[in-house]
Amino acid sequence: NIEAAIRALGMDASYFRPLDDALRAAHLAAGDLAYGMAKRSGARQGVRVSGRFDSRNPRAEQLLRMWSSDRVVQITDRAREGVRTSLAAALEAGTSPRAAALDLVGRVGPSGARTGGIVGLDSTKATYVSNMRRELTQLDNSYFTRTLRDRGFDGVVRRAIAQGTPLSAAQVTSITNRYSGRLVRLRGEAIARTELLGSVHAAQDEGLQQLTDSGQVRQQDVQETWDASADMFTRDDHRNADNQRVTRGQPFMIVGYAMRYPGDTALGAPAEQVINCRCVKRVDIDFLAGLPGRLTPEQLARARAEL
């Protein structure tokens, strides 16, 4: 009973509560940071910016729901699907219930540490693990195409293939556990980068919008610049967008996709443009632009008298 097994794992939204807490904290901190940035920039230009990020703003609350609760539900659903995929493959292969359970949650080694397991993986990566187990059992050379395999086992696998001697169940389990552990870590890092940084950028954008709504900042006086992370892991599309500058209200164009900030998919950007993105948006506010038109004649006369 696959569904009963999933329920027994307790994989509801509370399973990922630490992620939910982190997303909420990042969102609020980034909103405060946007206000802090504006205050420091205004002070350098002789302008006092007042107020603070309003987390109860309906728009801010909607963003928070999207980047915390809604995302956690999506991640939980994908993790459940990964478990479902793994159990279905185990049934098809005739794996015993105990072995299938240990493949799911990992095994406790002599040191007391649990290693391996696929809980947390999506169905695609869970399939990778099932396929590796099959490749090892069948002595299939496709095993060597898996970039996240532990190459320390390559010699053992090559000898087994060359001699036509099956690997023991313990060897298959050890090799697969090392691989699944790396996939789980990779999945966790991808979620952290994608969701946490996306939440940060969304809250920063909301903070700027609240400043605009308050009348302290004019949209046309805000310049936004795409700042790509400068290393070998940056996707070419984002590297090519480095230093792209737009006036607030206009989106960045990333190979034809409109994005208000790194991690934004609301305007149609696909997942491949946001997963593991580490780019940031630089913001420059000219508080003095158009100032004479915003002052009363008395304020303007007093300002001129003080120059």
Side-chain angles (χ1 to χ4, degrees):
N1 189 329
I2 291 178
E3 295 307 317
I6 292 174
R7 288 195 299 272
L9 285 170
M11 291 185 65
D12 55 16
S14 65
Y15 187 88
F16 290 97
R17 197 199 71 190
L19 173 63
D20 188 30
D21 293 343
L23 287 168
R24 289 175 177 273
H27 182 87
L28 297 174
D32 290 338
L33 187 65
Y35 259 78
M37 176 276 298
K39 289 179 179 180
R40 290 189 296 274
S41 178
R44 288 193 296 270
Q45 300 176 55
V47 175
R48 181 177 181 272
V49 176
S50 62
R52 61 186 305 173
F53 181 67
D54 180 10
S55 62
R56 294 298 184 184
N57 178 294
R59 193 174 51 230
E61 288 186 329
Q62 182 180 3
L63 276 174
L64 184 55
R65 280 194 302 272
M66 183 185 76
W67 284 102
S68 59
S69 302
D70 291 356
R71 293 304 174 98
V72 168
V73 168
Q74 293 173 14
I75 292 166
T76 304
D77 288 345
R78 290 170 187 160
R80 283 200 195 107
E81 191 57 37
V83 170
R84 191 175 289 110
T85 298
S86 178
L87 286 175
L91 285 173
E92 184 178 347
T95 305
S96 70
R98 175 176 171 77
L102 291 173
D103 291 342
L104 277 181
V105 301
R107 290 162 172 81
V108 177
S111 65
R114 186 177 296 275
T115 59
I118 63 93
V119 174
L121 295 181
D122 56 27
S123 59
T124 299
K125 291 181 175 58
T127 300
Y128 291 168
V129 176
S130 298
N131 287 344
M132 170 179 269
R133 187 176 297 278
R134 176 184 52 77
E135 291 160 2
L136 291 170
T137 302
Q138 298 177 0
L139 300 181
D140 185 342
N141 275 302
S142 298
Y143 160 83
F144 295 105
T145 65
R146 303 198 173 275
T147 56
L148 286 181
R149 73 185 189 279
D150 185 338
R151 287 172 169 75
F153 291 111
D154 282 5
V156 173
V157 178
R158 283 198 177 93
R159 283 194 297 274
I161 292 174
Q163 297 170 6
T165 304
L167 294 164
S168 69
Q171 287 174 317
V172 170
T173 295
S174 295
I175 297 171
T176 307
N177 277 355
R178 192 67 59 86
Y179 178 64
S180 63
R182 290 181 174 183
L183 283 175
V184 169
R185 179 175 179 177
L186 180 69
R187 172 74 172 150
E189 290 174 349
I191 289 173
R193 290 195 186 102
T194 305
E195 307 302 343
L196 284 172
L197 290 178
S199 178
V200 164
H201 296 316
Q204 177 196 32
D205 194 72
E206 170 59 21
L208 288 169
Q209 189 57 50
Q210 289 184 17
L211 282 164
T212 302
D213 293 345
S214 72
Q216 299 182 86
V217 173
R218 298 194 310 173
Q219 185 166 271
Q220 62 266 35
D221 299 333
V222 180
Q223 294 294 308
E224 302 176 337
T225 305
W226 188 284
D227 189 351
S229 51
D231 59 37
M232 62 182 290
F233 300 108
T234 302
R235 45 176 63 83
D236 290 339
D237 293 346
H238 292 192
R239 185 179 290 108
N240 294 335
D242 190 39
N243 288 321
Q244 185 180 143
R245 193 173 177 88
V246 299
T247 301
R248 180 161 179 78
Q250 300 174 345
F252 297 102
M253 296 305 299
I254 311 298
V255 291
Y257 296 112
M259 300 177 71
R260 294 167 299 173
Y261 47 80
D264 178 32
T265 59
L267 301 181
E272 57 262 28
Q273 292 296 337
V274 302
I275 294 175
N276 278 327
C277 176
R278 294 160 297 127
C279 300
V280 297
K281 179 175 75 174
R282 296 199 312 269
V283 177
D284 297 302
I285 305 174
D286 186 351
F287 285 96
L288 303 182
L291 187 60
R294 288 184 283 157
L295 296 178
T296 65
E298 294 76 14
Q299 290 174 323
L300 185 57
R302 187 164 61 249
R304 285 173 173 164
E306 293 175 358
L307 293 177

